[in-house]
Amino acid sequence: MARHRQPRELAELKGATKKDPQRYKTEAPKTGKALGKVPGHLPEEVSVVWKELEKCALPGVLTSADRFIMEVASSLLSEFRANRGEFVAAKYSHLIGCLARLGLTPADRQKLGTEKTPEGNPFDEF
């Protein structure tokens, strides 16, 4: 099965748009709206997970278009936390996939290629 295409924002953070610019010639439609508040129809335990995922997300990546995948990820994570013993492998796999698409797994953060802050030269003060 082919890999899922990553959002352009993640590709830019990773430097993929500079390495292979012809793959990113077209602009994806964007929404200028933020992720927004937790949907009112979600149970309290799922709402708590939504807020936690939102805090953990990279700034500027999640938008209102991600609300549906956030709802699925929040529901699955809440279910996992409530009853780990009956959380089947297929759901676990789906949860990891949702988190990866939102840029919330260690592997996805590792791919983001942010620049290191330069260390100070010990001779700068001379």
Side-chain angles (χ1 to χ4, degrees), residues 19-47:
K19 179 182 176 194
D20 201 359
Q22 70 273 10
R23 291 184 70 197
Y24 300 96
K25 338 183 232 202
T26 59
E27 280 290 320
K30 285 191 171 200
T31 176
K33 300 176 185 173
L35 183 62
K37 295 183 179 181
V38 180
H41 63 273
L42 292 180
E44 181 62 31
E45 61 274 6
V46 177
S47 297

Side-chain angles (χ1 to χ4, degrees), residues 34-97:
L35 183 62
K37 295 183 179 181
V38 180
H41 63 273
L42 292 180
E44 181 62 31
E45 61 274 6
V46 177
S47 297
V48 169
V49 173
W50 172 292
K51 291 173 186 172
E52 182 181 355
L53 290 175
E54 186 177 11
K55 284 180 188 174
C56 294
L58 298 166
V61 174
L62 298 180
T63 66
S64 63
D66 301 314
R67 292 179 62 79
F68 303 115
I69 192 84
M70 273 290 284
E71 188 171 338
V72 172
S74 300
S75 297
L76 284 170
L77 187 54
S78 174
E79 185 180 339
F80 171 72
R81 288 178 174 172
N83 195 355
R84 292 173 195 247
E86 295 191 20
F87 199 76
V88 295
K91 284 185 178 183
Y92 187 76
S93 190
H94 190 59
L95 172 60
I96 296 299

